[in-house]
Amino acid sequence: MAIWQSKPTLEALNQGIASCMPGYLGMQITEIGDDYLEGRLPVDHRTRQPFGILHGGASVVLAETLGSVGANLLVDTARFYCVGQEINANHLRPVPDGEVTGRARPVHLGRTSQVWEILLHAPNGKLSCISRLTIAVVARGDR
């Protein structure tokens, strides 16, 4: 059974990230599962650091985008919105080229917070980064 409050199309999700940082880096959301969201990020001139491998910050952009988009799919967006509150990432191995894929899955779904685990894999299928994202669930009008 799917956990989502709303389930837009992949096209709509990708349009939503197209004109901001994830879109500029070439990120795409590729799958909405029953309890996870997947996406990919190219390892190219936009996302590499000076040593020729995927920049850790680019990994975090992929992780936070997947978790934040997923978090917002779980709430009534007429009443709430979700924003990243804290993120950590353990970079396990370098990725010099190809495409990194990520899968975000919720670990905790509370009334005012969510915690997501995001696993990133290199093109060879090996785990390259483990990230955990804490999300604040904010009532609209609480600014």
Side-chain angles (χ1 to χ4, degrees):
M1 178 175 211
I3 62 173
W4 311 113
Q5 171 87 12
S6 65
K7 192 172 176 185
T9 65
L10 289 174
E11 181 182 351
L13 291 178
N14 284 309
Q15 284 177 350
I17 65 169
S19 62
C20 54
M21 184 188 293
Y24 296 140
L25 296 180
M27 181 185 163
Q28 288 191 312
I29 298 172
T30 57
E31 186 177 345
I32 305 169
D34 284 345
D35 67 345
Y36 65 88
L37 201 62
E38 284 188 358
R40 64 179 179 233
L41 183 72
V43 181
D44 63 17
H45 67 281
R46 297 169 292 181
T47 58
R48 282 190 194 101
Q49 44 109 304
F51 299 109
I53 58 175
L54 180 65
H55 193 291
S59 294
V60 173
V61 168
L62 176 58
E64 183 155 2
T65 302
L66 290 173
S68 293
V69 169
N72 279 286
L73 295 178
L74 287 171
V75 298
D76 176 356
T77 55
R79 298 178 50 219
F80 302 96
Y81 63 97
C82 298
V83 293
Q85 192 168 31
E86 189 273 337
I87 189 164
N88 69 50
N90 297 103
H91 306 288
L92 306 175
R93 62 178 36 90
V95 182
D97 52 34
E99 202 169 63
V100 207
T101 58
R103 178 178 278 198
R105 188 173 256 131
V107 176
H108 164 74
L109 298 173
R111 188 175 50 80
T112 59
S113 70
Q114 299 177 13
V115 177
W116 287 72
E117 178 183 67
I118 305 94
L119 303 178
L120 305 185
H121 290 87
N124 63 6
K126 291 187 178 181
L127 190 62
S128 63
C129 179
I130 299 171
S131 184
R132 188 180 63 234
L133 172 65
T134 302
I135 294 282
V137 179
V138 182
R140 291 206 176 268
D142 281 1
R143 291 184 195 201

PDB file of all heavy atoms in Angstrom, residues 25-63:
ATOM      1  N   LEU A  25      21.891  20.983 -12.225  1.00  0.00           N
ATOM      2  CA  LEU A  25      22.899  19.929 -12.128  1.00  0.00           C
ATOM      3  C   LEU A  25      22.541  18.699 -12.954  1.00  0.00           C
ATOM      4  O   LEU A  25      23.313  17.750 -13.020  1.00  0.00           O
ATOM      5  CB  LEU A  25      23.109  19.532 -10.668  1.00  0.00           C
ATOM      6  CG  LEU A  25      23.678  20.619  -9.751  1.00  0.00           C
ATOM      7  CD1 LEU A  25      23.830  20.088  -8.332  1.00  0.00           C
ATOM      8  CD2 LEU A  25      25.005  21.145 -10.286  1.00  0.00           C
ATOM      9  N   GLY A  26      21.349  18.690 -13.572  1.00  0.00           N
ATOM     10  CA  GLY A  26      20.949  17.574 -14.418  1.00  0.00           C
ATOM     11  C   GLY A  26      20.228  16.459 -13.684  1.00  0.00           C
ATOM     12  O   GLY A  26      20.047  15.370 -14.230  1.00  0.00           O
ATOM     13  N   MET A  27      19.788  16.717 -12.452  1.00  0.00           N
ATOM     14  CA  MET A  27      19.091  15.686 -11.681  1.00  0.00           C
ATOM     15  C   MET A  27      17.722  15.396 -12.286  1.00  0.00           C
ATOM     16  O   MET A  27      17.063  16.286 -12.808  1.00  0.00           O
ATOM     17  CB  MET A  27      18.912  16.156 -10.235  1.00  0.00           C
ATOM     18  CG  MET A  27      18.222  15.134  -9.377  1.00  0.00           C
ATOM     19  SD  MET A  27      17.901  15.769  -7.724  1.00  0.00           S
ATOM     20  CE  MET A  27      16.684  14.580  -7.210  1.00  0.00           C
ATOM     21  N   GLN A  28      17.318  14.134 -12.184  1.00  0.00           N
ATOM     22  CA  GLN A  28      15.978  13.716 -12.595  1.00  0.00           C
ATOM     23  C   GLN A  28      15.412  12.762 -11.560  1.00  0.00           C
ATOM     24  O   GLN A  28      16.135  11.907 -11.037  1.00  0.00           O
ATOM     25  CB  GLN A  28      16.008  13.007 -13.936  1.00  0.00           C
ATOM     26  CG  GLN A  28      16.268  13.914 -15.100  1.00  0.00           C
ATOM     27  CD  GLN A  28      16.014  13.179 -16.402  1.00  0.00           C
ATOM     28  OE1 GLN A  28      16.468  12.065 -16.604  1.00  0.00           O
ATOM     29  NE2 GLN A  28      15.269  13.819 -17.285  1.00  0.00           N
ATOM     30  N   ILE A  29      14.136  12.912 -11.278  1.00  0.00           N
ATOM     31  CA  ILE A  29      13.423  11.937 -10.451  1.00  0.00           C
ATOM     32  C   ILE A  29      12.941  10.866 -11.410  1.00  0.00           C
ATOM     33  O   ILE A  29      12.339  11.169 -12.447  1.00  0.00           O
ATOM     34  CB  ILE A  29      12.273  12.602  -9.679  1.00  0.00           C
ATOM     35  CG1 ILE A  29      12.853  13.660  -8.730  1.00  0.00           C
ATOM     36  CG2 ILE A  29      11.459  11.558  -8.917  1.00  0.00           C
ATOM     37  CD1 ILE A  29      11.834  14.529  -8.044  1.00  0.00           C
ATOM     38  N   THR A  30      13.230   9.613 -11.095  1.00  0.00           N
ATOM     39  CA  THR A  30      12.995   8.533 -12.053  1.00  0.00           C
ATOM     40  C   THR A  30      11.918   7.529 -11.649  1.00  0.00           C
ATOM     41  O   THR A  30      11.411   6.811 -12.502  1.00  0.00           O
ATOM     42  CB  THR A  30      14.306   7.756 -12.300  1.00  0.00           C
ATOM     43  OG1 THR A  30      14.794   7.277 -11.039  1.00  0.00           O
ATOM     44  CG2 THR A  30      15.347   8.655 -12.955  1.00  0.00           C
ATOM     45  N   GLU A  31      11.581   7.470 -10.362  1.00  0.00           N
ATOM     46  CA  GLU A  31      10.594   6.460  -9.938  1.00  0.00           C
ATOM     47  C   GLU A  31       9.946   6.868  -8.629  1.00  0.00           C
ATOM     48  O   GLU A  31      10.606   7.382  -7.723  1.00  0.00           O
ATOM     49  CB  GLU A  31      11.273   5.101  -9.772  1.00  0.00           C
ATOM     50  CG  GLU A  31      10.319   3.975  -9.477  1.00  0.00           C
ATOM     51  CD  GLU A  31      10.989   2.606  -9.392  1.00  0.00           C
ATOM     52  OE1 GLU A  31      12.145   2.462  -9.831  1.00  0.00           O
ATOM     53  OE2 GLU A  31      10.340   1.682  -8.880  1.00  0.00           O
ATOM     54  N   ILE A  32       8.634   6.600  -8.558  1.00  0.00           N
ATOM     55  CA  ILE A  32       7.889   6.745  -7.309  1.00  0.00           C
ATOM     56  C   ILE A  32       7.390   5.359  -6.957  1.00  0.00           C
ATOM     57  O   ILE A  32       6.514   4.818  -7.637  1.00  0.00           O
ATOM     58  CB  ILE A  32       6.680   7.690  -7.462  1.00  0.00           C
ATOM     59  CG1 ILE A  32       7.105   9.049  -8.014  1.00  0.00           C
ATOM     60  CG2 ILE A  32       5.965   7.852  -6.120  1.00  0.00           C
ATOM     61  CD1 ILE A  32       5.937   9.929  -8.424  1.00  0.00           C
ATOM     62  N   GLY A  33       7.965   4.747  -5.917  1.00  0.00           N
ATOM     63  CA  GLY A  33       7.509   3.440  -5.462  1.00  0.00           C
ATOM     64  C   GLY A  33       6.443   3.602  -4.396  1.00  0.00           C
ATOM     65  O   GLY A  33       6.039   4.724  -4.076  1.00  0.00           O
ATOM     66  N   ASP A  34       5.989   2.508  -3.815  1.00  0.00           N
ATOM     67  CA  ASP A  34       4.970   2.586  -2.772  1.00  0.00           C
ATOM     68  C   ASP A  34       5.461   3.338  -1.541  1.00  0.00           C
ATOM     69  O   ASP A  34       4.688   4.002  -0.866  1.00  0.00           O
ATOM     70  CB  ASP A  34       4.509   1.186  -2.357  1.00  0.00           C
ATOM     71  CG  ASP A  34       3.569   0.560  -3.389  1.00  0.00           C
ATOM     72  OD1 ASP A  34       3.053   1.301  -4.264  1.00  0.00           O
ATOM     73  OD2 ASP A  34       3.348  -0.653  -3.313  1.00  0.00           O
ATOM     74  N   ASP A  35       6.768   3.225  -1.237  1.00  0.00           N
ATOM     75  CA  ASP A  35       7.302   3.890  -0.042  1.00  0.00           C
ATOM     76  C   ASP A  35       8.693   4.475  -0.273  1.00  0.00           C
ATOM     77  O   ASP A  35       9.474   4.630   0.649  1.00  0.00           O
ATOM     78  CB  ASP A  35       7.329   2.927   1.141  1.00  0.00           C
ATOM     79  CG  ASP A  35       8.312   1.789   0.957  1.00  0.00           C
ATOM     80  OD1 ASP A  35       8.777   1.569  -0.193  1.00  0.00           O
ATOM     81  OD2 ASP A  35       8.631   1.121   1.953  1.00  0.00           O
ATOM     82  N   TYR A  36       9.012   4.805  -1.504  1.00  0.00           N
ATOM     83  CA  TYR A  36      10.321   5.386  -1.805  1.00  0.00           C
ATOM     84  C   TYR A  36      10.233   6.261  -3.051  1.00  0.00           C
ATOM     85  O   TYR A  36       9.279   6.185  -3.826  1.00  0.00           O
ATOM     86  CB  TYR A  36      11.382   4.306  -2.016  1.00  0.00           C
ATOM     87  CG  TYR A  36      11.149   3.431  -3.224  1.00  0.00           C
ATOM     88  CD1 TYR A  36      11.644   3.785  -4.478  1.00  0.00           C
ATOM     89  CD2 TYR A  36      10.422   2.243  -3.125  1.00  0.00           C
ATOM     90  CE1 TYR A  36      11.417   2.987  -5.592  1.00  0.00           C
ATOM     91  CE2 TYR A  36      10.190   1.445  -4.227  1.00  0.00           C
ATOM     92  CZ  TYR A  36      10.694   1.830  -5.461  1.00  0.00           C
ATOM     93  OH  TYR A  36      10.465   1.047  -6.565  1.00  0.00           O
ATOM     94  N   LEU A  37      11.257   7.091  -3.197  1.00  0.00           N
ATOM     95  CA  LEU A  37      11.413   7.947  -4.357  1.00  0.00           C
ATOM     96  C   LEU A  37      12.825   7.734  -4.873  1.00  0.00           C
ATOM     97  O   LEU A  37      13.769   7.665  -4.079  1.00  0.00           O
ATOM     98  CB  LEU A  37      11.232   9.401  -3.920  1.00  0.00           C
ATOM     99  CG  LEU A  37      10.875  10.455  -4.938  1.00  0.00           C
ATOM    100  CD1 LEU A  37       9.523  10.154  -5.585  1.00  0.00           C
ATOM    101  CD2 LEU A  37      10.827  11.817  -4.269  1.00  0.00           C
ATOM    102  N   GLU A  38      13.002   7.616  -6.189  1.00  0.00           N
ATOM    103  CA  GLU A  38      14.323   7.427  -6.778  1.00  0.00           C
ATOM    104  C   GLU A  38      14.650   8.539  -7.759  1.00  0.00           C
ATOM    105  O   GLU A  38      13.751   9.114  -8.370  1.00  0.00           O
ATOM    106  CB  GLU A  38      14.406   6.089  -7.534  1.00  0.00           C
ATOM    107  CG  GLU A  38      14.543   4.913  -6.638  1.00  0.00           C
ATOM    108  CD  GLU A  38      14.831   3.620  -7.390  1.00  0.00           C
ATOM    109  OE1 GLU A  38      14.892   3.619  -8.642  1.00  0.00           O
ATOM    110  OE2 GLU A  38      14.986   2.598  -6.716  1.00  0.00           O
ATOM    111  N   GLY A  39      15.951   8.791  -7.872  1.00  0.00           N
ATOM    112  CA  GLY A  39      16.412   9.791  -8.818  1.00  0.00           C
ATOM    113  C   GLY A  39      17.839   9.522  -9.223  1.00  0.00           C
ATOM    114  O   GLY A  39      18.498   8.631  -8.681  1.00  0.00           O
ATOM    115  N   ARG A  40      18.315  10.319 -10.173  1.00  0.00           N
ATOM    116  CA  ARG A  40      19.688  10.135 -10.659  1.00  0.00           C
ATOM    117  C   ARG A  40      20.327  11.494 -10.917  1.00  0.00           C
ATOM    118  O   ARG A  40      19.634  12.486 -11.160  1.00  0.00           O
ATOM    119  CB  ARG A  40      19.716   9.268 -11.891  1.00  0.00           C
ATOM    120  CG  ARG A  40      19.010   9.864 -13.073  1.00  0.00           C
ATOM    121  CD  ARG A  40      19.089   8.950 -14.297  1.00  0.00           C
ATOM    122  NE  ARG A  40      18.381   9.573 -15.395  1.00  0.00           N
ATOM    123  CZ  ARG A  40      17.432   8.992 -16.092  1.00  0.00           C
ATOM    124  NH1 ARG A  40      17.090   7.748 -15.829  1.00  0.00           N
ATOM    125  NH2 ARG A  40      16.838   9.625 -17.066  1.00  0.00           N
ATOM    126  N   LEU A  41      21.641  11.476 -10.871  1.00  0.00           N
ATOM    127  CA  LEU A  41      22.428  12.682 -11.080  1.00  0.00           C
ATOM    128  C   LEU A  41      23.641  12.321 -11.917  1.00  0.00           C
ATOM    129  O   LEU A  41      24.364  11.370 -11.584  1.00  0.00           O
ATOM    130  CB  LEU A  41      22.874  13.252  -9.731  1.00  0.00           C
ATOM    131  CG  LEU A  41      23.649  14.558  -9.747  1.00  0.00           C
ATOM    132  CD1 LEU A  41      22.721  15.722 -10.093  1.00  0.00           C
ATOM    133  CD2 LEU A  41      24.310  14.783  -8.406  1.00  0.00           C
ATOM    134  N   PRO A  42      23.892  13.051 -13.011  1.00  0.00           N
ATOM    135  CA  PRO A  42      25.077  12.746 -13.819  1.00  0.00           C
ATOM    136  C   PRO A  42      26.349  13.186 -13.095  1.00  0.00           C
ATOM    137  O   PRO A  42      26.351  14.164 -12.361  1.00  0.00           O
ATOM    138  CB  PRO A  42      24.862  13.573 -15.090  1.00  0.00           C
ATOM    139  CG  PRO A  42      23.975  14.695 -14.682  1.00  0.00           C
ATOM    140  CD  PRO A  42      23.110  14.159 -13.570  1.00  0.00           C
ATOM    141  N   VAL A  43      27.408  12.435 -13.310  1.00  0.00           N
ATOM    142  CA  VAL A  43      28.731  12.836 -12.834  1.00  0.00           C
ATOM    143  C   VAL A  43      29.434  13.429 -14.050  1.00  0.00           C
ATOM    144  O   VAL A  43      29.885  12.707 -14.936  1.00  0.00           O
ATOM    145  CB  VAL A  43      29.515  11.642 -12.249  1.00  0.00           C
ATOM    146  CG1 VAL A  43      30.873  12.094 -11.732  1.00  0.00           C
ATOM    147  CG2 VAL A  43      28.706  10.969 -11.133  1.00  0.00           C
ATOM    148  N   ASP A  44      29.458  14.756 -14.120  1.00  0.00           N
ATOM    149  CA  ASP A  44      30.044  15.458 -15.258  1.00  0.00           C
ATOM    150  C   ASP A  44      30.647  16.777 -14.787  1.00  0.00           C
ATOM    151  O   ASP A  44      30.814  16.978 -13.580  1.00  0.00           O
ATOM    152  CB  ASP A  44      29.006  15.655 -16.378  1.00  0.00           C
ATOM    153  CG  ASP A  44      27.814  16.522 -15.986  1.00  0.00           C
ATOM    154  OD1 ASP A  44      27.887  17.259 -14.980  1.00  0.00           O
ATOM    155  OD2 ASP A  44      26.793  16.468 -16.698  1.00  0.00           O
ATOM    156  N   HIS A  45      30.954  17.671 -15.721  1.00  0.00           N
ATOM    157  CA  HIS A  45      31.613  18.936 -15.389  1.00  0.00           C
ATOM    158  C   HIS A  45      30.837  19.771 -14.373  1.00  0.00           C
ATOM    159  O   HIS A  45      31.422  20.563 -13.650  1.00  0.00           O
ATOM    160  CB  HIS A  45      31.850  19.758 -16.666  1.00  0.00           C
ATOM    161  CG  HIS A  45      30.585  20.239 -17.305  1.00  0.00           C
ATOM    162  ND1 HIS A  45      29.790  19.424 -18.083  1.00  0.00           N
ATOM    163  CD2 HIS A  45      29.974  21.442 -17.247  1.00  0.00           C
ATOM    164  CE1 HIS A  45      28.736  20.109 -18.485  1.00  0.00           C
ATOM    165  NE2 HIS A  45      28.824  21.337 -17.998  1.00  0.00           N
ATOM    166  N   ARG A  46      29.510  19.586 -14.273  1.00  0.00           N
ATOM    167  CA  ARG A  46      28.698  20.355 -13.330  1.00  0.00           C
ATOM    168  C   ARG A  46      28.788  19.814 -11.917  1.00  0.00           C
ATOM    169  O   ARG A  46      28.554  20.544 -10.956  1.00  0.00           O
ATOM    170  CB  ARG A  46      27.222  20.342 -13.753  1.00  0.00           C
ATOM    171  CG  ARG A  46      26.959  21.001 -15.086  1.00  0.00           C
ATOM    172  CD  ARG A  46      25.564  20.710 -15.557  1.00  0.00           C
ATOM    173  NE  ARG A  46      25.452  19.283 -15.890  1.00  0.00           N
ATOM    174  CZ  ARG A  46      24.365  18.706 -16.347  1.00  0.00           C
ATOM    175  NH1 ARG A  46      23.252  19.415 -16.522  1.00  0.00           N
ATOM    176  NH2 ARG A  46      24.350  17.421 -16.650  1.00  0.00           N
ATOM    177  N   THR A  47      29.088  18.527 -11.777  1.00  0.00           N
ATOM    178  CA  THR A  47      28.971  17.873 -10.469  1.00  0.00           C
ATOM    179  C   THR A  47      30.284  17.323  -9.919  1.00  0.00           C
ATOM    180  O   THR A  47      30.307  16.799  -8.809  1.00  0.00           O
ATOM    181  CB  THR A  47      27.939  16.729 -10.546  1.00  0.00           C
ATOM    182  OG1 THR A  47      28.343  15.790 -11.546  1.00  0.00           O
ATOM    183  CG2 THR A  47      26.546  17.270 -10.865  1.00  0.00           C
ATOM    184  N   ARG A  48      31.363  17.425 -10.694  1.00  0.00           N
ATOM    185  CA  ARG A  48      32.668  16.936 -10.220  1.00  0.00           C
ATOM    186  C   ARG A  48      33.388  18.020  -9.436  1.00  0.00           C
ATOM    187  O   ARG A  48      33.236  19.211  -9.695  1.00  0.00           O
ATOM    188  CB  ARG A  48      33.568  16.552 -11.397  1.00  0.00           C
ATOM    189  CG  ARG A  48      33.254  15.227 -12.005  1.00  0.00           C
ATOM    190  CD  ARG A  48      34.356  14.822 -12.999  1.00  0.00           C
ATOM    191  NE  ARG A  48      33.901  13.725 -13.810  1.00  0.00           N
ATOM    192  CZ  ARG A  48      33.456  13.851 -15.055  1.00  0.00           C
ATOM    193  NH1 ARG A  48      33.447  15.028 -15.649  1.00  0.00           N
ATOM    194  NH2 ARG A  48      33.036  12.801 -15.715  1.00  0.00           N
ATOM    195  N   GLN A  49      34.244  17.592  -8.512  1.00  0.00           N
ATOM    196  CA  GLN A  49      35.141  18.510  -7.817  1.00  0.00           C
ATOM    197  C   GLN A  49      36.487  18.522  -8.549  1.00  0.00           C
ATOM    198  O   GLN A  49      36.661  17.763  -9.508  1.00  0.00           O
ATOM    199  CB  GLN A  49      35.243  18.140  -6.331  1.00  0.00           C
ATOM    200  CG  GLN A  49      35.410  16.653  -6.072  1.00  0.00           C
ATOM    201  CD  GLN A  49      36.772  16.304  -5.582  1.00  0.00           C
ATOM    202  OE1 GLN A  49      37.759  16.615  -6.227  1.00  0.00           O
ATOM    203  NE2 GLN A  49      36.807  15.620  -4.463  1.00  0.00           N
ATOM    204  N   PRO A  50      37.423  19.388  -8.161  1.00  0.00           N
ATOM    205  CA  PRO A  50      38.667  19.545  -8.927  1.00  0.00           C
ATOM    206  C   PRO A  50      39.509  18.273  -9.099  1.00  0.00           C
ATOM    207  O   PRO A  50      40.307  18.193 -10.023  1.00  0.00           O
ATOM    208  CB  PRO A  50      39.446  20.586  -8.117  1.00  0.00           C
ATOM    209  CG  PRO A  50      38.400  21.368  -7.413  1.00  0.00           C
ATOM    210  CD  PRO A  50      37.319  20.379  -7.100  1.00  0.00           C
ATOM    211  N   PHE A  51      39.309  17.260  -8.260  1.00  0.00           N
ATOM    212  CA  PHE A  51      40.074  16.024  -8.382  1.00  0.00           C
ATOM    213  C   PHE A  51      39.439  15.029  -9.343  1.00  0.00           C
ATOM    214  O   PHE A  51      39.887  13.899  -9.476  1.00  0.00           O
ATOM    215  CB  PHE A  51      40.282  15.380  -7.008  1.00  0.00           C
ATOM    216  CG  PHE A  51      41.054  16.255  -6.074  1.00  0.00           C
ATOM    217  CD1 PHE A  51      40.426  16.846  -4.999  1.00  0.00           C
ATOM    218  CD2 PHE A  51      42.399  16.515  -6.283  1.00  0.00           C
ATOM    219  CE1 PHE A  51      41.130  17.677  -4.137  1.00  0.00           C
ATOM    220  CE2 PHE A  51      43.115  17.347  -5.434  1.00  0.00           C
ATOM    221  CZ  PHE A  51      42.476  17.930  -4.354  1.00  0.00           C
ATOM    222  N   GLY A  52      38.353  15.445 -10.018  1.00  0.00           N
ATOM    223  CA  GLY A  52      37.756  14.617 -11.058  1.00  0.00           C
ATOM    224  C   GLY A  52      36.751  13.582 -10.582  1.00  0.00           C
ATOM    225  O   GLY A  52      36.407  12.679 -11.332  1.00  0.00           O
ATOM    226  N   ILE A  53      36.283  13.726  -9.347  1.00  0.00           N
ATOM    227  CA  ILE A  53      35.273  12.793  -8.826  1.00  0.00           C
ATOM    228  C   ILE A  53      34.040  13.585  -8.391  1.00  0.00           C
ATOM    229  O   ILE A  53      34.096  14.805  -8.236  1.00  0.00           O
ATOM    230  CB  ILE A  53      35.822  11.949  -7.648  1.00  0.00           C
ATOM    231  CG1 ILE A  53      36.297  12.838  -6.507  1.00  0.00           C
ATOM    232  CG2 ILE A  53      36.932  11.016  -8.142  1.00  0.00           C
ATOM    233  CD1 ILE A  53      36.743  12.091  -5.258  1.00  0.00           C
ATOM    234  N   LEU A  54      32.948  12.863  -8.192  1.00  0.00           N
ATOM    235  CA  LEU A  54      31.693  13.494  -7.778  1.00  0.00           C
ATOM    236  C   LEU A  54      31.910  14.326  -6.521  1.00  0.00           C
ATOM    237  O   LEU A  54      32.474  13.853  -5.534  1.00  0.00           O
ATOM    238  CB  LEU A  54      30.633  12.416  -7.523  1.00  0.00           C
ATOM    239  CG  LEU A  54      29.256  12.913  -7.084  1.00  0.00           C
ATOM    240  CD1 LEU A  54      28.592  13.728  -8.179  1.00  0.00           C
ATOM    241  CD2 LEU A  54      28.379  11.723  -6.696  1.00  0.00           C
ATOM    242  N   HIS A  55      31.471  15.557  -6.560  1.00  0.00           N
ATOM    243  CA  HIS A  55      31.561  16.475  -5.425  1.00  0.00           C
ATOM    244  C   HIS A  55      30.592  16.007  -4.336  1.00  0.00           C
ATOM    245  O   HIS A  55      29.444  15.664  -4.631  1.00  0.00           O
ATOM    246  CB  HIS A  55      31.195  17.884  -5.891  1.00  0.00           C
ATOM    247  CG  HIS A  55      31.529  18.955  -4.924  1.00  0.00           C
ATOM    248  ND1 HIS A  55      30.874  19.111  -3.734  1.00  0.00           N
ATOM    249  CD2 HIS A  55      32.458  19.932  -4.979  1.00  0.00           C
ATOM    250  CE1 HIS A  55      31.375  20.142  -3.087  1.00  0.00           C
ATOM    251  NE2 HIS A  55      32.348  20.665  -3.830  1.00  0.00           N
ATOM    252  N   GLY A  56      31.040  16.005  -3.097  1.00  0.00           N
ATOM    253  CA  GLY A  56      30.179  15.595  -1.991  1.00  0.00           C
ATOM    254  C   GLY A  56      28.925  16.451  -1.891  1.00  0.00           C
ATOM    255  O   GLY A  56      27.846  15.961  -1.553  1.00  0.00           O
ATOM    256  N   GLY A  57      29.056  17.739  -2.203  1.00  0.00           N
ATOM    257  CA  GLY A  57      27.890  18.619  -2.174  1.00  0.00           C
ATOM    258  C   GLY A  57      26.852  18.233  -3.211  1.00  0.00           C
ATOM    259  O   GLY A  57      25.650  18.372  -2.978  1.00  0.00           O
ATOM    260  N   ALA A  58      27.288  17.732  -4.349  1.00  0.00           N
ATOM    261  CA  ALA A  58      26.345  17.280  -5.377  1.00  0.00           C
ATOM    262  C   ALA A  58      25.585  16.046  -4.885  1.00  0.00           C
ATOM    263  O   ALA A  58      24.380  15.916  -5.124  1.00  0.00           O
ATOM    264  CB  ALA A  58      27.080  16.981  -6.682  1.00  0.00           C
ATOM    265  N   SER A  59      26.287  15.158  -4.172  1.00  0.00           N
ATOM    266  CA  SER A  59      25.614  13.998  -3.571  1.00  0.00           C
ATOM    267  C   SER A  59      24.541  14.456  -2.597  1.00  0.00           C
ATOM    268  O   SER A  59      23.433  13.910  -2.557  1.00  0.00           O
ATOM    269  CB  SER A  59      26.616  13.111  -2.830  1.00  0.00           C
ATOM    270  OG  SER A  59      27.529  12.521  -3.707  1.00  0.00           O
ATOM    271  N   VAL A  60      24.862  15.474  -1.818  1.00  0.00           N
ATOM    272  CA  VAL A  60      23.909  15.992  -0.832  1.00  0.00           C
ATOM    273  C   VAL A  60      22.719  16.665  -1.522  1.00  0.00           C
ATOM    274  O   VAL A  60      21.591  16.560  -1.046  1.00  0.00           O
ATOM    275  CB  VAL A  60      24.616  16.926   0.174  1.00  0.00           C
ATOM    276  CG1 VAL A  60      23.623  17.608   1.100  1.00  0.00           C
ATOM    277  CG2 VAL A  60      25.631  16.136   0.999  1.00  0.00           C
ATOM    278  N   VAL A  61      22.955  17.329  -2.650  1.00  0.00           N
ATOM    279  CA  VAL A  61      21.839  17.917  -3.404  1.00  0.00           C
ATOM    280  C   VAL A  61      20.872  16.813  -3.840  1.00  0.00           C
ATOM    281  O   VAL A  61      19.651  16.949  -3.692  1.00  0.00           O
ATOM    282  CB  VAL A  61      22.338  18.713  -4.635  1.00  0.00           C
ATOM    283  CG1 VAL A  61      21.177  19.074  -5.564  1.00  0.00           C
ATOM    284  CG2 VAL A  61      23.070  19.969  -4.198  1.00  0.00           C
ATOM    285  N   LEU A  62      21.405  15.718  -4.354  1.00  0.00           N
ATOM    286  CA  LEU A  62      20.545  14.600  -4.762  1.00  0.00           C
ATOM    287  C   LEU A  62      19.786  14.051  -3.565  1.00  0.00           C
ATOM    288  O   LEU A  62      18.566  13.874  -3.608  1.00  0.00           O
ATOM    289  CB  LEU A  62      21.378  13.500  -5.431  1.00  0.00           C
ATOM    290  CG  LEU A  62      20.643  12.221  -5.831  1.00  0.00           C
ATOM    291  CD1 LEU A  62      19.483  12.493  -6.779  1.00  0.00           C
ATOM    292  CD2 LEU A  62      21.627  11.218  -6.440  1.00  0.00           C
ATOM    293  N   ALA A  63      20.501  13.809  -2.460  1.00  0.00           N
ATOM    294  CA  ALA A  63      19.871  13.245  -1.264  1.00  0.00           C
ATOM    295  C   ALA A  63      18.786  14.165  -0.713  1.00  0.00           C
ATOM    296  O   ALA A  63      17.657  13.736  -0.446  1.00  0.00           O
ATOM    297  CB  ALA A  63      20.932  12.968  -0.202  1.00  0.00           C
TER     298      ALA A  63
END
